[in-house]
């Protein structure tokens, strides 16, 4: 297994581009199951999770292929309708094949995803939504067995805002008979990107990006082409990488409004920014204040940037309170940051961070989940001495060549095999 060696104390300066959004590419690649033929995508990031999605699509009878900067998915006439545990266990987002298979073929057998480090992450709302559209759902031997002669449009209210649940229902409703209204739907930009691709395939959708999405079912969808949106979580991570080292970094090929909750929070802490059309520049800052933060669904502060923000607060001037409202156990990075000398008191869903500039010292630490691993690399950039981050396969799930991007900005980061 690879490790990341980070030598702290080097200021990051310069310009870096984000890759395509993992959390938009995953649902969009599963949406291809709704239409036979060849779909062509640009700006798909080269990540482990994309490889896992390709593996699952191939196990369902599709053909996937990188063709220079294009990623092609060929969907066959009668794919297999079973998503096996050995693939689903590697990536929870595999559950997103349920809606498309059910809508297109009237049947799907998908392994339950199982929990993960940041929480139990149930799929009850996905299944309740499919039942509302007329599907019969059974849970047997760890599999979701779903059947529906023809899904029927309905109104479904999500009792909890769920990104994956909204995506699964949005895809299923496209081929249902009649109109579907999704209420308390997630408003994340990745939902909008998925809806835009479904519309390019011929779906009739309105309200995407708001909490009420309306879908008029159609008879058939057709393969199309699409460019995946920029990854807002990577963009935010790179902004914090520049900021935490006191450097001036421009992150481009991104959508500034997608990370407005982060830039505004950092402005409260004393950072200065230049906001461009498709870029954000954070300016040099030798000291910043501690500012409380609470994670919430979009457009408020994203849970996927909580760990990275905590690293920034660990070396701020003062005490901040960080509240995680989306997942019940997303503080796995706290113990590891404390190994670097951070002064943090974790409680249930709340962490008190007593920040002090220059207080982090390099040490061996262990990544526990995707965003926690990013947080440890960021802390390593500013810790004195060497930080060794192990289990960085977590990082490779969601960041394309992060060490290359950081090194190009002046970081001393290298990957070593254990
Ligand atoms: C998506 O996960 C993202 N993953 C996550 O990013 C992100 O943290 C999360 O949305 C929240 O923004 C992808 O898009 C592939 P949810 P998802 O359903 O869809 C509860 C990363 O780092 N819930 O919005 O699984 C759930 O337990 C990953 O890239 C139910 O109770 O998240 C959680 O507490 C991590 N029942 C809350 O809703 C359900 O049926 C939000 O989860 C579904 C969800």
């Amino acid at each position: 297994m690879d490790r990341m060696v980070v030598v702290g104390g080097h200021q990051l300066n310069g310009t870096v581009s984000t890759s395509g959004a993992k959390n938009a590419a995953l649902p969009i690649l599963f949406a291809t199951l709704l239409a036979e033929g060849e779909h062509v995508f640009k700006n798909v990031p080269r990540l482990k999770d994309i490889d896992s999605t390709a593996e699952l699509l191939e196990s369902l009878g599709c053909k996937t292929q990188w063709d220079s900067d294009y990623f092609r998915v060929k969907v066959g006439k009668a794919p297999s309708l079973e998503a096996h545990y050995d693939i689903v266990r590697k990536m929870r987002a595999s559950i997103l094949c349920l809606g498309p298979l059910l809508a297109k073929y009237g049947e799907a057998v998908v392994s339950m995803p199982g929990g993960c480090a940041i929480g139990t992450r149930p799929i009850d709302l996905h299944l309740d939504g499919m039942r509302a559209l007329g599907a019969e759902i059974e849970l047997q031997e760890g599999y979701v067995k779903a059947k529906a002669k023809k899904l029927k449009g309905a109104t479904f209210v999500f009792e909890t805002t769920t990104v994956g649940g909204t995506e699964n229902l949005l895809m299923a409703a496209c081929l249902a008979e009649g109109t579907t209204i999704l209420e308390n739907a997630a408003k994340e930009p990745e939902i909008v990107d998925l809806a835009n691709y479904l519309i390019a395939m011929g779906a009739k959708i309105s309200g995407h990006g708001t909490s009420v999405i309306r879908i008029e079912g159609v008879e058939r969808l057709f393969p199309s082409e699409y460019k995946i949106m920029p990854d807002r979580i990577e963009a935010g991570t790179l902004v914090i990488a520049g900021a935490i080292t006191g450097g001036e970094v421009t992150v481009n090929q991104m959508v500034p409004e997608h990370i407005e909750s982060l830039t505004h929070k950092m402005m409260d802490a004393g950072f200065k920014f230049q906001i461009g059309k498709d870029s954000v520049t954070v300016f040099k800052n030798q000291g910043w204040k501690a500012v409380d933060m609470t994670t919430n669904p979009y457009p408020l502060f994203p849970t996927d940037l909580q760990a990275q923000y905590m690293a920034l607060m660990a070396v701020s001037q003062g005490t901040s309170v960080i509240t995680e409202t989306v997942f019940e156990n997303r503080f796995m990075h706290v113990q590891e940051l404390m190994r670097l000398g951070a002064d943090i008191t974790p409680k249930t869903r709340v962490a008190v961070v007593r920040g002090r500039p220059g207080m982090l010292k390099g040490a061996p630490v262990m990544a526990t989940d995707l965003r926690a691993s990013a947080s440890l690399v960021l802390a390593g950039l500013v810790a004195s001495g060497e930080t060794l981050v192990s289990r960085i396969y977590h990082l490779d799930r969601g960041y394309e060549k992060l060490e290359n991007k950081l090194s190009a900005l002046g970081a001393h980061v290298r990957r070593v095999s254990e």
Side-chain angles (χ1 to χ4, degrees):
M1 283 193 279
D2 289 356
R3 284 187 189 190
M4 198 73 86
V5 179
V6 188
V7 181
H10 300 273
Q11 196 179 81
L12 269 58
N13 291 290
T15 297
V16 63
S17 302
T18 58
S19 302
K22 165 179 88 81
N23 291 350
L26 297 182
I28 285 172
L29 292 179
F30 284 118
T32 62
L33 292 164
L34 289 163
E36 289 146 24
E38 183 174 68
H39 305 247
V40 184
F41 299 108
K42 275 200 83 168
N43 209 32
V44 173
R46 292 181 185 250
L47 301 169
K48 293 304 282 168
D49 274 7
I50 298 296
D51 298 344
S52 304
T53 302
E55 189 188 346
L56 178 50
L57 288 172
E58 301 257 344
S59 77
L60 294 171
C62 305
K63 286 268 165 291
T64 67
Q65 181 202 3
W66 281 103
D67 168 15
S68 89
D69 287 349
Y70 291 92
F71 187 74
R72 298 173 183 280
V73 180
K74 269 190 197 139
V75 179
K77 280 239 169 300
S80 147
L81 302 176
E82 180 157 344
H84 290 283
Y85 173 67
D86 53 1
I87 300 181
V88 174
R89 71 182 169 76
K90 283 190 276 189
M91 186 186 68
R92 310 179 30 74
S94 308
I95 192 64
L96 293 175
C97 72
L98 174 65
L101 288 176
L102 198 50
K104 182 78 171 60
Y105 301 99
E107 192 183 336
V109 179
V110 182
S111 165
M112 298 280 280
C116 87
I118 63 178
T120 49
R121 299 181 72 181
I123 56 166
D124 54 318
L125 301 179
H126 296 238
L127 305 182
D128 291 349
M130 297 301 167
R131 289 188 185 99
L133 295 183
E136 284 157 42
I137 306 268
E138 277 186 290
L139 302 185
Q140 272 174 16
E141 297 127 35
Y143 279 79
V144 175
K145 301 194 173 177
K147 271 195 187 336
K149 257 200 275 323
K150 177 82 175 158
L151 293 176
K152 297 229 174 342
T155 294
F156 181 71
V157 184
F158 287 99
E159 65 186 56
T160 310
T161 306
T162 155
V163 171
T166 301
E167 290 165 344
N168 236 336
L169 267 291
L170 177 59
M171 292 187 281
C174 287
L175 290 179
E177 212 164 77
T179 302
T180 296
I181 310 270
L182 300 179
E183 296 191 9
N184 191 27
K187 301 185 279 192
E188 271 67 6
E190 292 77 13
I191 307 271
V192 175
D193 223 33
L194 169 62
N196 288 340
Y197 184 57
L198 291 166
I199 290 166
M201 289 167 71
K204 290 192 172 37
I205 301 169
S206 58
H208 39 300
T210 76
S211 56
V212 181
I213 303 178
R214 183 189 179 87
I215 305 108
E216 305 290 339
V218 294
E219 271 304 302
R220 193 171 161 203
L221 292 173
F222 300 87
S224 186
E225 311 202 340
Y226 194 70
K227 181 178 180 189
I228 305 293
M229 65 174 255
D231 193 317
R232 61 191 172 100
I233 303 303
E234 185 194 22
T237 305
L238 292 168
V239 164
I240 296 176
I244 203 170
T245 63
E248 176 177 318
V249 166
T250 297
V251 180
N252 66 17
Q253 291 180 20
M254 53 82 74
V255 179
E257 72 179 88
H258 285 174
I259 61 167
E260 217 161 62
S261 57
L262 171 70
T263 49
H264 286 184
K265 183 61 72 179
M266 289 175 66
M267 286 172 197
D268 293 347
F271 286 97
K272 299 273 180 279
F273 287 90
Q274 180 176 325
I275 308 293
K277 197 170 70 57
D278 69 347
S279 69
V280 162
T281 301
V282 59
F283 292 111
K284 290 183 195 290
N285 182 338
Q286 290 320 312
W288 48 92
K289 290 190 313 197
V291 180
D292 295 351
M293 181 278 280
T294 298
T295 67
N296 272 296
Y298 193 84
L300 301 180
F301 198 101
T303 174
D304 291 352
L305 283 174
Q306 178 257 104
Q308 299 91 315
Y309 181 77
M310 188 181 286
L312 186 67
M313 288 298 106
V315 289
S316 67
Q317 291 150 352
T319 298
S320 55
V321 176
I322 293 178
T323 307
E324 171 57 63
T325 69
V326 178
F327 289 108
E328 68 268 26
N329 183 31
R330 200 168 196 175
F331 284 153
M332 310 281 278
H333 43 284
V334 170
Q335 297 302 334
E336 299 303 313
L337 288 172
M338 290 166 74
R339 285 178 51 76
L340 299 175
D343 182 355
I344 306 171
T345 308
K347 302 195 185 310
T348 318
R349 288 186 182 254
V350 175
V352 178
V353 183
R354 276 168 291 280
R356 204 170 56 235
M359 76 186 293
L360 301 185
K361 299 222 173 342
V365 289
M366 188 178 77
T368 50
D369 59 87
L370 167 52
R371 306 304 172 181
S373 43
S375 159
L376 296 174
V377 172
L378 296 179
L381 292 175
V382 74
S384 60
E386 205 169 81
T387 297
L388 208 53
V389 185
S390 62
R391 300 192 181 183
I392 54 162
Y393 56 84
H394 290 292
L395 196 74
D396 296 338
R397 293 192 49 189
Y399 290 94
E400 184 177 355
K401 301 196 190 70
L402 185 63
E403 68 270 25
N404 299 15
K405 293 182 177 177
L406 295 176
S407 305
L409 292 170
H412 288 212
V413 182
R414 68 181 191 283
R415 181 184 290 259
V416 294
S417 329
E418 273 190 285

